[in-house]
């Protein structure tokens, strides 16, 4: 095993969702890299103009692929035109190198929550609901979680809410729509599995029957619960928030009034969050 803190991986594929703005990149995966669904990696590149030098520029990206996918890693990125890293990431082509820190990080993992929910009216224990609320590329971590059969076995209902500006930014939409119809194929043999509700919400365009509104407004006025057909109940629901910092701050305050709180050491909560553009 190498003593280096990172591995040099090879780009396998670059898929543009919105040219010049949104892309997914697939690389090889070192057997030394281990992670939990929902975590992120630090990706590295050498300084511009020094392709053969060690990486010095690092950025965090959640894995789209699940831990069980041993052959490759997939990441989802927005391109910041004036950025030091993402335009160069978008310019990579198959065969190019990308560095991956061997240590995974992040708190959007299911072990942040106490398993299960309350009991139903008849006294039957429920598994509760998992709400996955994201803006933009914050969707990444949820895609990894949703490809793990254990996620589907842990809840009665999973609600994925993806807030973007325009319809074309609804990356991975077809995959999520398929899971909402058919479930995860790998979970078919489970004794029980959750049902998935997918709510794609562009804020600047009308799309299907979805309101063109920010996620925080939909939480505040109750429309998010109406769309999902489920209540945001602190005794039953577990919520993950991933997106831009302003959304997280506002949503956390709104949910706090509903009884949702981030867990502390030795005291798991019912809310987990991470800043992610």
């Amino acid at each position: 095993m190498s003593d280096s803190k990172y591995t040099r991986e090879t780009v396998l594929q670059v898929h543009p969702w919105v040219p010049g703005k949104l892309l997914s990149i697939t690389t090889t995966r070192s057997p030394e890299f281990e992670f939990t669904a929902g975590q992120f990696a630090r990706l590295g590149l050498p300084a511009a103009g020094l392709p053969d030098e060690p990486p010095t520029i690092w950025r965090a990206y959640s894995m789209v692929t699940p831990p069980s996918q041993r052959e490759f890693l997939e990441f989802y990125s927005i391109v910041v035109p004036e950025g030091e890293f993402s335009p160069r990431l978008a310019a990579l082509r198959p065969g190019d190198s990308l560095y991956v820190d061997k240590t995974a990080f992040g708190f959007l993992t299911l072990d942040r929550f106490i398993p299960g929910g309350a009991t139903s009216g008849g006294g039957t224990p429920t598994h509760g609901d998992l709400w996955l609320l994201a803006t933009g590329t914050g969707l990444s971590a949820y895609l990894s979680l949703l490809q793990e059969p254990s996620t589907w076995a842990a809840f009665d209902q999973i609600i994925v809410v993806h807030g973007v500006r325009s319809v074309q930014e609804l990356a991975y939409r077809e995959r999520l729509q398929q899971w909402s119809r058919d479930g995860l194929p790998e979970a078919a043999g489970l004794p029980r599995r959750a049902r998935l509700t997918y709510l794609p919400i562009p804020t600047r365009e009308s799309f299907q029957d979805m309101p063109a509104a920010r996620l925080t407004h939909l939480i505040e006025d109750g429309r998010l619960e109406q769309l999902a057909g489920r209540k945001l109940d602190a005794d039953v629901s577990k919520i993950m928030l991933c997106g831009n910092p302003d959304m997280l701050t506002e949503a956390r305050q709104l949910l706090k009034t509903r009884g949702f709180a981030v867990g502390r050491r030795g005291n798991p909560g019912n809310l987990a969050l991470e800043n992610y553009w």
Side-chain angles (χ1 to χ4, degrees), residues 43-119:
L43 305 185
L45 288 170
L50 300 172
D52 298 324
E53 293 297 311
T56 56
I57 308 167
W58 296 89
R59 296 293 185 271
Y61 287 89
S62 293
M63 277 65 71
V64 169
T65 38
S68 56
Q69 172 51 259
R70 308 297 304 184
E71 300 301 318
F72 58 86
L73 296 169
E74 183 177 341
F75 305 94
Y76 176 38
S77 175
I78 187 170
V79 180
V80 181
E82 67 277 11
E84 186 178 19
F85 190 91
S86 61
R88 292 179 58 203
L89 184 73
L92 294 176
R93 294 296 176 260
D96 290 342
S97 295
L98 182 64
Y99 296 85
V100 180
D101 191 313
K102 291 180 183 177
T103 302
F105 304 88
F107 303 106
L108 291 179
T109 55
L110 292 186
D111 58 9
R112 307 293 293 181
F113 300 134
I114 299 174
T119 57

Side-chain angles (χ1 to χ4, degrees), residues 95-209:
D96 290 342
S97 295
L98 182 64
Y99 296 85
V100 180
D101 191 313
K102 291 180 183 177
T103 302
F105 304 88
F107 303 106
L108 291 179
T109 55
L110 292 186
D111 58 9
R112 307 293 293 181
F113 300 134
I114 299 174
T119 57
S120 66
T124 304
T126 71
H127 288 74
D129 303 331
L130 176 64
W131 293 72
L132 304 175
L133 311 185
T135 55
T137 54
L139 182 71
S140 305
Y142 302 157
L143 293 165
S144 181
L145 279 164
L146 289 169
Q147 291 176 83
E148 287 289 282
S150 57
T151 303
W152 294 73
F155 298 92
D156 294 318
Q157 187 82 18
I158 301 172
I159 302 99
V160 179
V161 186
H162 190 198
V164 295
R165 292 185 177 183
S166 64
V167 173
Q168 67 173 347
E169 295 176 21
L170 290 169
Y172 299 96
R173 183 176 79 208
E174 291 184 1
R175 188 184 305 187
L176 287 160
Q177 288 173 332
Q178 180 181 354
W179 288 341
S180 68
R181 289 193 307 268
D182 308 325
L184 181 72
E186 292 84 345
L190 295 174
R192 57 165 308 283
R193 57 175 174 167
R195 297 188 62 181
L196 176 68
T197 298
Y198 169 51
L199 302 177
I201 302 180
T203 59
R204 298 186 179 181
E205 292 184 58
S206 59
F207 180 66
Q208 298 176 351
D209 296 324

